[in-house]
Structure formats: structure tokens, C-alpha cells
Amino acid sequence: MNQGLIPSRYAKALYEYAAENGCDQLVFDYMQKLADAFAAESGLAKAVANPFVSRADKTRLLYTASGSTADDKVMARFMALLADNNRLDMAREIALAYLKIYRLKHNIRLVTVTSAAPMTEADEDRLKKLIQRHLGPAKMEYNHLIDPDLIGGFVVSIDNEKLDASIANELKELRLKLLSK
């Protein structure tokens, strides 16, 4: 079976179960923390994939990383399901798939603005309003990153769309034009 298909199925089942129990937003928060923990700590993926680490220890690690506890009925059933089916090592992919499903169901678009330097509050507010106009009725989950390699300008990513208004991109395009002649 496809490695991308398995996490999607678990995430879909988790979303449906969480929605039935009225805690899909809470599970979204847990999955966001879990995905962030995997991104921040590379040792977490290694520990969860390690066959010498017990299922109980892996489960405790995932509870801690997600900020949930065994007292949370939905998360407890989910962790037990993963453990019983030897899928604890897919927790990161399942979390990411859940986030995608939740955003789709709730019409939330993931927006990341990357700029070369911090933006003023007024400029950032103006950019947020412009992006919101582009999104229409969709809600926006906004992140702002700083990347000095851009030299100047900014890059706006909305899900799979990308607007690159950075000086680094302009220089790259100019270089390509000069090389093609």
C-alpha cells in the first residue's frame, strides 16, 4: 500500500471521529503541536521509528509532543489504534494529513509570507488585507518568516500558489535572461 495513502486514511478517520465528538479543533491543535515537534526535533522521528523503544514509550513521547494526555478520549483511542496497528512511526505524516483535511473542511488557507527583513506592522496589515481580498471568504492561517537571502522584497505562498517579489528572484531571472542570449 502507498505510504501516502495510509496516513491519509488514518487522518481522515481521526478527523471524522473527532468531528463526531465535537473536538476536531482541539485535535487540530494537537496535530499542529505534533507536526511542529517533529520539525523542531529530528530525534523524535528516530525514537518513534526505533524498534528497540517500547510502544508505551513511543506513545508517551507522542502524547508529550502533541500536548495531549491519555485522559483525552479521542487522542487515547487514536494512539491505541496506531500502537495496535504498528503505525506509531507514521504519526508525523498522519498529523500533516490531518492538518490538511481540517483546513480543507474549514476553508482555511495556509499563508506564509517570507521577507528579507521584518516588516512594519502597517505594511504587514496592508499585506494581510490584500491577501484576504484575494482569498475571498476563506480564512487565513498566517505565518511570517524572515530570510535575509531574499535581499529585499517578499515571497507570498498560499497553499500551492507562490508570488515571488523578492530581489533575489529578480536577479535570478535577469541572470537567466543574460545567459540565454
Side-chain angles (χ1 to χ4, degrees), residues 111-123:
V111 175
T112 303
V113 173
T114 307
S115 61
M119 299 170 75
T120 65
E121 192 173 321
D123 287 341

Side-chain angles (χ1 to χ4, degrees), residues 29-90:
D29 294 339
Y30 290 151
M31 293 296 117
Q32 185 69 59
K33 288 178 189 170
L34 186 59
D36 291 346
F38 273 104
E41 185 57 54
S42 64
L44 180 58
K46 291 176 186 170
V48 174
N50 188 334
F52 297 108
V53 176
S54 71
R55 280 180 17 174
D57 287 343
K58 290 178 185 182
T59 303
R60 274 194 296 276
L61 273 171
L62 293 174
Y63 275 128
T64 302
S66 68
S68 65
T69 65
D71 295 334
D72 184 304
K73 180 180 98 171
V74 172
M75 287 301 287
R77 287 197 64 188
F78 174 65
M79 291 294 183
L81 179 68
L82 291 183
D84 291 345
N85 292 310
N86 295 316
R87 301 288 191 205
L88 289 168
D89 60 330
M90 293 186 157

Side-chain angles (χ1 to χ4, degrees), residues 6-19:
I6 295 170
S8 296
R9 287 184 177 175
Y10 277 88
K12 184 178 179 187
L14 175 60
Y15 177 79
E16 290 173 2
Y17 184 68

